[in-house]
């Protein structure tokens, strides 16, 4: 397998995009205005308003409107205090003591205390919850016993007093404060949870209060008058409009009904860029994710490594990124996000080589190819990418039928780990390789987010070593080894690093675009007029 450095064109595009993040940083005014409704339109249903299962960008962005976490990220991806005002770490790195903010209130008016942290983390770790973030606390002492029903509590989580909570880890986990900044580990009020651990009403401490959720129609939120960040938020209301076709979103933006629009259609982007009134509204920034094909090694013919390698050689990533998806990303060469790949200085493993792909297919026993189905979520850019893959694989004899399914159906199918050939957006909530490897490739995460159902004890050991290694240089070496293993075994075929493509009206101020998921924060946002 030939390895070479990133294409210069792709790397330069990425660096220009990084610079654009700084150019589009929110301008914070000394005199923000109160009032107005933030209208947030989605091309799908949000799917869930339970933050403990908030995996998609849409769920995460909505989740942080209602819920807070112990820690959070700043605009550079660094961990900073949130509901925890500060924390101490023991000399052996295994005990964290969090000192909580006083006077924080839930939307019900009840004061937030350390008992709510313990409740939230045990609810997250309860199998009855069926939370996608179930594995976030695996390093905590007693979590496994609690999850298996062998203990009534997580013994490693101890309430010291109302404003102090101690969490003991089985092993050193240097990513632990980052995990506590993800939407998965949100603090939830028990008032909104029934005896089966289902969230029947979102109750958090966040900037906006739940009003109404009608699936496939809308989610309505009101300003939290008791929010712990004094004077915030500035909007009176939030309305999340669901299942709004991109063409309808465009019309609403052009007629001032929307002041912010996420774009998932090249046609919409080109339409705005062609209009002098809106050309300057378009913002293009690197997203915290990588788009991949999942190749299930448990199902023939994907169980044959040469077949998986052939697919990697057959995909023309440059064409797909530049032409097929209309410049909504750049070619991806690794299973990690673009920022992580730069940090590790990773090479390119697979180029575009049809002859090599055919040779590998013949070696695998499929000289004439085979037929298969590619499962993809109902998203225009991803559907276009799937059609690009379909055309590329046809050139080596693989007949691909693209199956587009709605978000909820897609999630259920993919999480079962039984889809032979799928497409997935691998996102980062905490800007660390551990999240990508553990959540999406560790054997314990299938069924679940390990949608290729990939199980490799050698990779598991590397992942576990990475999270317990304090020295960053050594961690980088471990994750480089992990990437090399994954790119040799190829349970995935990386396609492209997506851009976050949005339009923002000039009068909308203070939006925060983050290098992690959530990608959007509106706590500081307001309308100038």
């Amino acid at each position: 397998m030939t390895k070479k450095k990133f294409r210069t064109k792709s790397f330069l595009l990425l660096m220009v995009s990084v610079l654009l993040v700084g150019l589009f940083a929110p301008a914070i005014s000394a005199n923000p205005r109160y009032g107005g409704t933030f209208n947030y339109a989605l091309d799908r249903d949000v799917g869930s308003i339970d933050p403990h299962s908030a995996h998609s960008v849409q769920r995460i962005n909505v989740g942080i409107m209602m819920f807070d976490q112990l820690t959070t990220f700043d605009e550079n991806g660094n961990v900073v205090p949130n509901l925890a005002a500060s924390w101490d770490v023991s000399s052996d790195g295994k005990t964290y003591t969090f000192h909580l903010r006083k006077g924080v209130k839930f939307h019900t008016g009840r004061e937030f205390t350390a008992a709510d942290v313990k409740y939230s983390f045990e609810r997250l770790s309860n199998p009855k919850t069926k939370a996608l973030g179930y594995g976030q606390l695996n390093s905590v002492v007693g979590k496994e016993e609690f999850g298996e029903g062998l203990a009534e509590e997580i013994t490693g989580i101890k309430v010291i007093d109302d404003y102090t909570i101690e969490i003991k880890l089985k092993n050193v986990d240097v990513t632990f404060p980052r995990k506590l900044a993800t939407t998965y580990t949100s603090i939830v009020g028990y008032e909104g949870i029934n005896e089966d651990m289902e969230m029947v009403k979102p109750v958090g401490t966040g900037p906006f209060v739940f009003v109404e959720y009608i699936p496939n129609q809308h989610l309505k939120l009101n300003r939290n008058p008791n929010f712990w960040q004094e004077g915030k938020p500035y909007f009176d209301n939030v309305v999340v409009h669901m299942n709004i076709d991109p063409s309808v979103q465009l019309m609403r933006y052009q007629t001032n009904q929307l002041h912010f629009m996420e774009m998932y259609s090249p046609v919409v982007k080109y339409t705005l860029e062609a209009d002098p009134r809106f050309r300057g509204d378009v913002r293009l920034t690197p997203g915290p994710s990588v788009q991949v094909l999942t190749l299930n090694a448990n199902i023939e013919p994907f169980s044959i490594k040469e077949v998986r390698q052939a697919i990697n050689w057959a995909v023309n990533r440059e064409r797909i990124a530049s032409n097929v998806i209309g410049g909504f990303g750049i070619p991806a060469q690794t299973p990690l996000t673009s920022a992580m790949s730069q940090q590790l200085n990773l090479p390119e493993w697979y180029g575009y080589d049809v002859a090599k792909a055919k040779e590998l297919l013949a070696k695998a026993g499929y000289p004439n190819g085979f037929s298969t189905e590619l499962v993809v979520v109902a998203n225009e850019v991803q559907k276009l990418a799937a059609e690009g893959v379909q055309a590329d694989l046809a050139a080596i004899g693989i007949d691909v039928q693209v199956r587009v399914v709605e978000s909820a159906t897609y999630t259920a199918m993919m999480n079962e780990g039984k889809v032979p050939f799928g497409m997935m957006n691998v996102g980062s909530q905490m800007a660390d390789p551990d999240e990508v490897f553990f959540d999406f490739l560790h054997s314990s995460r299938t069924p679940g987010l390990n949608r290729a159902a990939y199980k490799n004890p050698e990779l598991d050991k590397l992942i576990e070593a990475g999270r317990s290694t304090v020295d960053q240089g050594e961690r980088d070496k471990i994750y480089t080894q992990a990437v090399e293993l994954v790119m040799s075994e190829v349970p995935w075929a990386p396609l492209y690093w997506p851009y976050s493509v949005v339009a923002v009206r000039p009068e909308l101020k203070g939006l925060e675009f983050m290098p992690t998921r959530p990608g959007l924060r509106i706590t500081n946002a307001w309308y100038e007029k």
Side-chain angles (χ1 to χ4, degrees):
M1 193 180 317
T2 304
K3 294 191 285 186
K4 56 185 179 181
K5 293 298 181 184
F6 288 127
R7 295 183 181 91
T8 303
K9 179 182 176 183
S10 299
F11 200 76
L12 287 175
L13 280 171
L14 182 60
M15 295 309 296
V16 169
S17 300
V18 170
L19 291 174
L20 287 176
V21 175
L23 291 176
F24 291 127
I28 304 300
S29 169
N31 297 299
R33 295 187 179 186
Y34 287 89
T37 298
F38 181 74
N39 289 292
Y40 182 33
L42 305 178
D43 62 353
R44 67 190 74 177
D45 186 89
V46 73
S48 172
I49 48 177
D50 185 344
H52 291 167
S53 286
H55 166 62
S56 71
V57 174
Q58 293 79 12
R59 290 184 189 181
I60 293 168
N61 286 347
V62 169
I64 64 163
M65 295 178 188
M66 296 180 281
F67 298 95
D68 290 310
Q69 302 75 38
L70 289 188
T71 62
T72 190
F73 296 109
D74 65 16
E75 66 277 6
N76 297 313
N78 300 311
V79 179
V80 294
N82 203 28
L83 289 180
S86 63
W87 57 91
D88 306 312
V89 186
S90 62
S91 58
D92 65 0
K94 296 182 182 180
T95 301
Y96 287 77
T97 304
F98 294 91
H99 308 284
L100 308 181
R101 294 187 189 277
K102 298 179 180 180
V104 176
K105 293 183 178 180
F106 282 99
H107 298 155
T108 57
R110 179 174 62 83
E111 187 177 9
F112 155 73
T113 68
D116 295 299
V117 177
K118 185 173 177 68
Y119 173 82
S120 297
F121 288 176
E122 289 181 343
R123 191 251 176 184
L124 170 64
S125 304
N126 190 326
K128 291 171 67 175
T129 306
K130 298 179 181 178
L132 288 179
Y134 177 81
Q136 288 294 88
L137 303 177
N138 278 0
S139 57
V140 176
V141 170
K143 188 269 184 180
E144 289 186 16
E145 292 81 355
F146 175 79
E148 294 171 2
L150 302 176
E152 294 185 356
E153 65 172 344
I154 299 179
T155 56
I157 302 177
K158 182 178 180 181
V159 174
I160 306 300
D161 58 42
D162 280 352
Y163 306 108
T164 312
I165 191 159
E166 179 186 271
I167 302 179
K168 291 183 179 293
L169 307 183
K170 293 180 292 186
N171 301 294
V172 175
D173 181 359
V174 295
T175 70
F176 191 63
R178 306 188 77 82
K179 289 183 172 68
L180 300 187
T182 67
T183 313
Y184 283 146
T185 54
S186 294
I187 305 304
V188 301
Y190 59 76
E191 296 92 334
I193 310 298
N194 68 17
E195 60 183 12
D196 294 321
M197 289 292 111
E198 296 174 321
M199 179 168 285
V200 293
K201 180 180 180 180
V203 176
T205 62
F208 294 94
V209 180
F210 173 81
V211 176
E212 179 182 63
Y213 171 48
I214 299 180
N216 297 307
Q217 293 187 33
H218 63 249
L219 169 67
K220 293 184 177 180
L221 312 175
N222 285 345
R223 181 180 188 271
N224 179 4
N226 299 312
F227 187 47
W228 58 272
Q229 293 186 35
E230 188 175 355
K232 299 174 184 177
Y234 302 112
F235 292 130
D236 286 336
N237 319 97
V238 174
V239 179
V240 182
H241 307 268
M242 301 173 190
N243 290 330
I244 308 300
D245 187 84
S247 62
V248 177
Q249 291 187 38
L250 174 62
M251 180 273 293
R252 293 183 182 180
Y253 188 85
Q254 291 170 320
T255 56
N256 213 33
Q257 297 175 63
L258 288 177
H259 293 78
F260 168 80
M261 180 173 60
E262 292 175 329
M263 285 180 273
Y264 300 99
S265 165
V267 173
V268 172
K269 173 176 173 286
Y270 295 150
T271 300
L272 286 184
E273 289 176 331
D275 190 328
R277 296 174 299 167
F278 305 114
R279 186 177 300 141
D281 297 354
V282 178
R283 305 184 181 189
L284 195 72
T285 59
S289 66
V290 57
Q291 196 75 23
V292 304
L293 299 171
T294 58
L295 313 172
N296 196 320
N298 301 300
I299 301 173
E300 292 187 11
F302 301 99
S303 55
I304 304 172
K305 183 165 74 171
E306 286 80 6
V307 168
R308 303 194 301 273
Q309 291 176 336
I311 290 172
N312 271 274
W313 283 109
V315 173
N316 188 338
R317 295 167 177 83
E318 188 75 49
R319 182 184 70 89
I320 289 174
S322 300
N323 301 325
V324 176
I325 64 171
F328 265 63
I330 59 173
Q333 319 295 347
T334 83
L336 297 178
T337 67
S338 57
M340 295 176 197
S341 300
Q342 285 183 69
Q343 177 186 329
L344 297 177
N345 193 28
L346 296 175
E348 173 185 333
W349 274 265
Y350 295 89
Y352 174 54
D353 192 327
V354 173
K356 192 172 188 67
K358 287 182 176 180
E359 179 185 327
L360 284 163
L361 269 188
K363 182 179 179 182
Y366 291 90
N368 300 315
F370 55 89
S371 297
T372 188
E373 179 181 80
L374 173 58
V375 176
V376 60
V377 73
N379 170 286
E380 184 173 345
V381 173
Q382 293 186 35
K383 180 176 179 292
L384 289 171
E387 291 170 352
V389 170
Q390 181 185 48
D392 286 343
L393 296 190
I396 63 169
I398 300 179
D399 178 30
V400 177
Q401 297 299 312
V402 176
R403 181 181 177 185
V404 181
V405 295
E406 293 303 315
S407 180
T409 303
Y410 166 85
T411 299
M413 289 177 63
M414 293 292 284
N415 284 354
E416 287 179 355
K418 297 178 181 179
V419 173
F421 191 31
M423 184 182 288
M424 175 171 63
N425 183 266
V426 179
S428 169
Q429 285 201 52
M430 64 183 201
D432 190 276
D434 174 78
E435 178 182 20
V436 174
F437 281 118
F438 182 83
D439 277 0
F440 296 95
L441 287 166
H442 194 277
S443 61
S444 68
R445 299 296 276 157
T446 181
L449 292 178
N450 184 346
R451 291 167 171 172
Y454 180 65
K455 295 185 178 182
N456 186 323
E458 183 181 354
L459 181 63
D460 286 353
K461 288 180 181 178
L462 287 170
I463 294 170
E464 288 151 16
R467 66 169 40 174
S468 63
T469 300
V470 176
D471 182 82
Q472 189 58 49
E474 290 302 312
R475 289 190 82 221
D476 288 350
K477 291 178 183 178
I478 291 168
Y479 289 126
T480 298
Q481 291 178 51
V483 171
E484 290 174 347
L485 178 58
V486 169
M487 294 309 294
S488 173
E489 292 291 313
V490 283
W492 293 350
L495 288 180
Y496 60 92
W497 288 307
Y499 285 129
S500 172
V501 185
V502 302
V504 184
R505 295 298 293 264
E507 59 268 30
L508 177 54
K509 306 294 184 181
L511 282 184
E512 295 175 272
F513 299 99
M514 310 300 291
T516 59
R517 286 183 171 175
L520 173 71
R521 283 181 177 159
I522 66 169
T523 306
N524 295 313
W526 53 282
Y527 292 126
E528 188 173 49
K529 56 183 178 180

